[in-house]
């Protein structure tokens, strides 16, 4: 609800968010991040933009190290498998997500100046996320 209020106040369309919990690649501790997500088929895509800066977000590195994660969306917590899209799949997902993510192309441009490709992480829930 609070996200909806902020987006309305800023004059932007609402983008649903999820809570992604990953396993820390160095510590093994659970780490959580709130991220906007984009449904693509049965999967959810989250973008590691980090404002177009020079480094990937830590949660993306955690997914690369261990794809086991948990997603909380629609008031449900479900286990998921995450992976960073690459090659042709990434190109296709980039176009799909960029059509609804207003800043993705700009962030990629900024990240490219640092030699970085923004990770597009595909989350495959292991149980339905639909509301009960």
């Amino acid at each position: 609800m609070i996200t909806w209020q902020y987006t309305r106040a800023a004059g932007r369309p609402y983008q649903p968010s999820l809570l992604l919990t990953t396993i820390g690649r160095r510590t093994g501790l659970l780490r959580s991040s709130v991220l906007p997500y984009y449904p693509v088929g049965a999967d959810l895509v989250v973008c590691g933009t980090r404002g177009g800066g020079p480094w990937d977000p830590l949660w993306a590195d955690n997914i690369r190290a261990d794809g086991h994660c948990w997603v909380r969306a629609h008031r449900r917590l479900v286990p998921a498998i995450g992976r960073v899209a690459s090659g042709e799949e990434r190109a296709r997902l980039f176009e799909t997500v960029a059509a609804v993510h207003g800043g993705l192309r700009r962030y990629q441009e900024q990240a490219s100046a640092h030699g970085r490709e923004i990770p597009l992480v595909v989350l495959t829930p292991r149980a339905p996320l639909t509301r009960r």
Side-chain angles (χ1 to χ4, degrees), residues 44-90:
L44 306 173
V45 177
V46 291
C47 307
T49 59
R50 199 164 185 188
W55 299 284
D56 288 344
L58 297 175
W59 58 261
D61 291 334
N62 291 344
I63 289 289
R64 284 185 184 105
D66 185 344
H68 294 91
C69 58
W70 295 263
V71 173
R72 181 177 292 279
H74 305 295
R75 298 184 181 189
R76 296 210 49 212
L77 178 66
V78 299
I81 298 294
R83 60 184 171 74
V84 177
S86 62
E88 196 174 295
E89 179 191 33
R90 186 194 181 279

Side-chain angles (χ1 to χ4, degrees), residues 106-117:
R106 178 173 42 89
Y107 287 142
Q108 181 56 69
E109 222 174 88
Q110 291 170 327
S112 293
H114 300 289
R116 181 170 84 89
E117 181 175 79

Side-chain angles (χ1 to χ4, degrees), residues 93-108:
L93 286 174
F94 185 89
E95 293 305 319
T96 301
V97 173
V100 291
H101 183 310
L104 186 58
R105 290 184 196 283
R106 178 173 42 89
Y107 287 142
Q108 181 56 69

